[in-house]
Amino acid sequence: MWQPLYEEAGIATFPVDAERKSPSVGNYLRAGMHASREWAKKFSDANALGFNCGKRNGLTVLDIDAADENLLADSLNKFGPSPIIIKTASGKFHVWYSHNGEGRKIRPEKHVPIDILGGGYAVAPPSAAGSGQYRFIEGSLNDLGRLR
């Protein structure tokens, strides 16, 4: 069970239906640690979890909607390095940053498949979806204190 590890790192989580990429509970955007613990008990068989991006958990996620390592490298050059990079179940990328007031911006550059998630939610490792799994390819929850 990963919820206690995320809680220890200061991140409230909720169960997710990874196939549909949708939360399995209501009011997840307002959830704190108490709700996170209760949902972990109630959905103990869930194979995916998510967390709120933004102020509540202190995280902004750069969501790169392409399985393109060159786009990942270009994004890191543009937005800055991060000690935490996730490969999604479909082979795409999430880059975690400290939340600095960013909002949720879907495709801020129309022809570049990148979203900035300073609001909304993201699916978290080690969630399983289809034949893949979200996984840390750089860093871990232990690196949250190093985010900029």
Side-chain angles (χ1 to χ4, degrees):
M1 177 60 84
W2 278 77
Q3 185 278 336
L5 296 175
Y6 276 86
E7 181 175 347
E8 186 177 308
I11 300 173
T13 61
F14 49 86
V16 170
D17 177 335
E19 298 304 320
R20 294 187 356 224
K21 289 188 184 179
S22 65
S24 299
V25 295
N27 291 321
Y28 59 91
L29 289 176
R30 298 168 39 122
M33 292 300 179
H34 177 74
S36 180
R37 281 190 294 277
E38 292 302 310
W39 288 329
K41 292 176 198 169
K42 185 176 180 179
F43 293 87
S44 61
D45 61 342
N47 64 351
L49 72 160
F51 63 88
N52 293 320
C53 301
K55 185 177 179 181
R56 182 169 297 275
N57 284 313
L59 294 172
T60 294
V61 174
L62 186 66
D63 180 8
I64 301 170
D65 286 330
D68 181 344
E69 291 188 10
N70 291 324
L71 181 57
L72 171 62
D74 291 345
S75 298
L76 292 171
N77 285 331
K78 179 176 183 173
F79 295 98
S82 174
I84 302 177
I85 300 175
I86 310 306
K87 190 168 239 185
T88 70
S90 60
K92 300 170 185 174
F93 302 97
H94 287 175
V95 183
W96 291 9
Y97 294 95
S98 181
H99 180 68
N100 293 302
E102 303 85 0
R104 184 172 184 262
K105 298 175 185 157
I106 305 303
R107 298 294 192 271
E109 295 180 35
K110 289 184 180 184
H111 302 294
V112 181
I114 292 176
D115 302 327
I116 298 170
L117 304 179
Y121 71 93
V123 177
S127 298
S131 61
Q133 185 170 20
Y134 286 70
R135 60 188 173 90
F136 291 97
I137 58 172
E138 286 190 27
S140 69
L141 291 174
N142 294 330
D143 294 304
L144 287 170
R146 297 179 43 225
L147 294 178
R148 327 183 288 149

Short mmCIF file of all heavy atoms in Angstrom, two decimals, residues 13-17 22-29 31 39 42-43:
data_model
loop_
_atom_site.label_atom_id
_atom_site.label_comp_id
_atom_site.label_asym_id
_atom_site.label_seq_id
_atom_site.Cartn_x
_atom_site.Cartn_y
_atom_site.Cartn_z
N THR A 13 -3.58 11.45 -0.93
CA THR A 13 -3.90 10.72 -2.17
C THR A 13 -5.35 10.25 -2.15
O THR A 13 -6.03 10.32 -1.13
CB THR A 13 -2.98 9.49 -2.34
OG1 THR A 13 -3.18 8.60 -1.23
CG2 THR A 13 -1.53 9.90 -2.43
N PHE A 14 -5.79 9.75 -3.30
CA PHE A 14 -7.12 9.18 -3.43
C PHE A 14 -7.06 8.07 -4.46
O PHE A 14 -6.18 8.06 -5.33
CB PHE A 14 -8.16 10.25 -3.82
CG PHE A 14 -7.74 11.10 -4.98
CD1 PHE A 14 -7.98 10.69 -6.28
CD2 PHE A 14 -7.11 12.32 -4.75
CE1 PHE A 14 -7.58 11.48 -7.34
CE2 PHE A 14 -6.71 13.11 -5.82
CZ PHE A 14 -6.95 12.69 -7.12
N PRO A 15 -7.98 7.09 -4.37
CA PRO A 15 -7.99 6.00 -5.34
C PRO A 15 -8.44 6.48 -6.71
O PRO A 15 -9.28 7.38 -6.83
CB PRO A 15 -8.97 4.99 -4.75
CG PRO A 15 -9.85 5.81 -3.87
CD PRO A 15 -9.03 6.95 -3.36
N VAL A 16 -7.86 5.89 -7.75
CA VAL A 16 -8.14 6.27 -9.13
C VAL A 16 -8.46 5.03 -9.95
O VAL A 16 -7.84 3.98 -9.76
CB VAL A 16 -6.91 6.99 -9.73
CG1 VAL A 16 -7.04 7.18 -11.23
CG2 VAL A 16 -6.68 8.33 -9.04
N ASP A 17 -9.40 5.16 -10.85
CA ASP A 17 -9.64 4.14 -11.86
C ASP A 17 -8.65 4.46 -12.97
O ASP A 17 -8.87 5.39 -13.77
CB ASP A 17 -11.07 4.22 -12.36
CG ASP A 17 -11.38 3.24 -13.48
OD1 ASP A 17 -10.44 2.82 -14.21
OD2 ASP A 17 -12.56 2.90 -13.64
N SER A 22 -9.71 8.44 -13.92
CA SER A 22 -10.67 9.26 -13.18
C SER A 22 -10.69 8.83 -11.72
O SER A 22 -10.53 7.64 -11.40
CB SER A 22 -12.06 9.15 -13.80
OG SER A 22 -12.55 7.84 -13.66
N PRO A 23 -10.87 9.78 -10.82
CA PRO A 23 -10.95 9.47 -9.39
C PRO A 23 -12.10 8.51 -9.10
O PRO A 23 -13.16 8.58 -9.72
CB PRO A 23 -11.18 10.83 -8.73
CG PRO A 23 -10.60 11.80 -9.71
CD PRO A 23 -10.91 11.22 -11.06
N SER A 24 -11.89 7.64 -8.13
CA SER A 24 -12.91 6.68 -7.73
C SER A 24 -13.79 7.21 -6.61
O SER A 24 -14.67 6.50 -6.13
CB SER A 24 -12.24 5.39 -7.25
OG SER A 24 -11.47 4.82 -8.28
N VAL A 25 -13.53 8.45 -6.17
CA VAL A 25 -14.27 9.06 -5.07
C VAL A 25 -14.68 10.48 -5.43
O VAL A 25 -14.11 11.09 -6.34
CB VAL A 25 -13.42 9.08 -3.78
CG1 VAL A 25 -13.13 7.66 -3.29
CG2 VAL A 25 -12.12 9.84 -3.99
N GLY A 26 -15.62 11.02 -4.70
CA GLY A 26 -16.02 12.40 -4.88
C GLY A 26 -15.25 13.32 -3.95
O GLY A 26 -14.60 12.86 -3.01
N ASN A 27 -15.31 14.60 -4.20
CA ASN A 27 -14.66 15.62 -3.37
C ASN A 27 -13.15 15.42 -3.21
O ASN A 27 -12.57 15.87 -2.23
CB ASN A 27 -15.32 15.72 -1.99
CG ASN A 27 -16.71 16.29 -2.09
OD1 ASN A 27 -16.96 17.21 -2.86
ND2 ASN A 27 -17.62 15.73 -1.32
N TYR A 28 -12.54 14.76 -4.15
CA TYR A 28 -11.10 14.48 -4.05
C TYR A 28 -10.26 15.76 -4.08
O TYR A 28 -9.17 15.79 -3.51
CB TYR A 28 -10.66 13.52 -5.15
CG TYR A 28 -10.92 14.04 -6.54
CD1 TYR A 28 -9.97 14.77 -7.22
CD2 TYR A 28 -12.15 13.80 -7.16
CE1 TYR A 28 -10.23 15.26 -8.49
CE2 TYR A 28 -12.41 14.29 -8.42
CZ TYR A 28 -11.45 15.01 -9.08
OH TYR A 28 -11.70 15.51 -10.34
N LEU A 29 -10.74 16.82 -4.73
CA LEU A 29 -9.95 18.06 -4.80
C LEU A 29 -9.90 18.78 -3.45
O LEU A 29 -9.04 19.62 -3.25
CB LEU A 29 -10.51 19.01 -5.86
CG LEU A 29 -10.29 18.57 -7.31
CD1 LEU A 29 -10.97 19.53 -8.27
CD2 LEU A 29 -8.81 18.46 -7.63
N ALA A 31 -9.79 16.96 -0.51
CA ALA A 31 -9.40 15.95 0.46
C ALA A 31 -8.06 16.26 1.13
O ALA A 31 -7.13 16.71 0.48
CB ALA A 31 -9.33 14.59 -0.21
N TRP A 39 -9.93 6.52 2.60
CA TRP A 39 -10.07 5.94 1.26
C TRP A 39 -9.10 4.79 1.07
O TRP A 39 -9.43 3.80 0.41
CB TRP A 39 -9.86 7.00 0.19
CG TRP A 39 -10.99 7.98 0.08
CD1 TRP A 39 -12.31 7.76 0.33
CD2 TRP A 39 -10.88 9.34 -0.32
NE1 TRP A 39 -13.03 8.90 0.11
CE2 TRP A 39 -12.19 9.89 -0.30
CE3 TRP A 39 -9.82 10.15 -0.72
CZ2 TRP A 39 -12.45 11.20 -0.64
CZ3 TRP A 39 -10.08 11.46 -1.06
CH2 TRP A 39 -11.39 11.99 -1.01
N LYS A 42 -10.80 1.86 2.61
CA LYS A 42 -12.01 1.46 1.88
C LYS A 42 -11.69 0.87 0.50
O LYS A 42 -12.37 -0.02 0.03
CB LYS A 42 -12.94 2.67 1.72
CG LYS A 42 -14.26 2.35 1.09
CD LYS A 42 -15.18 3.55 1.05
CE LYS A 42 -16.50 3.20 0.40
NZ LYS A 42 -17.41 4.33 0.36
N PHE A 43 -10.65 1.40 -0.15
CA PHE A 43 -10.27 0.95 -1.49
C PHE A 43 -8.93 0.24 -1.45
O PHE A 43 -8.05 0.48 -2.28
CB PHE A 43 -10.20 2.15 -2.45
CG PHE A 43 -11.53 2.80 -2.71
CD1 PHE A 43 -12.01 3.81 -1.87
CD2 PHE A 43 -12.30 2.41 -3.79
CE1 PHE A 43 -13.22 4.42 -2.11
CE2 PHE A 43 -13.53 3.01 -4.03
CZ PHE A 43 -14.00 4.02 -3.19
#
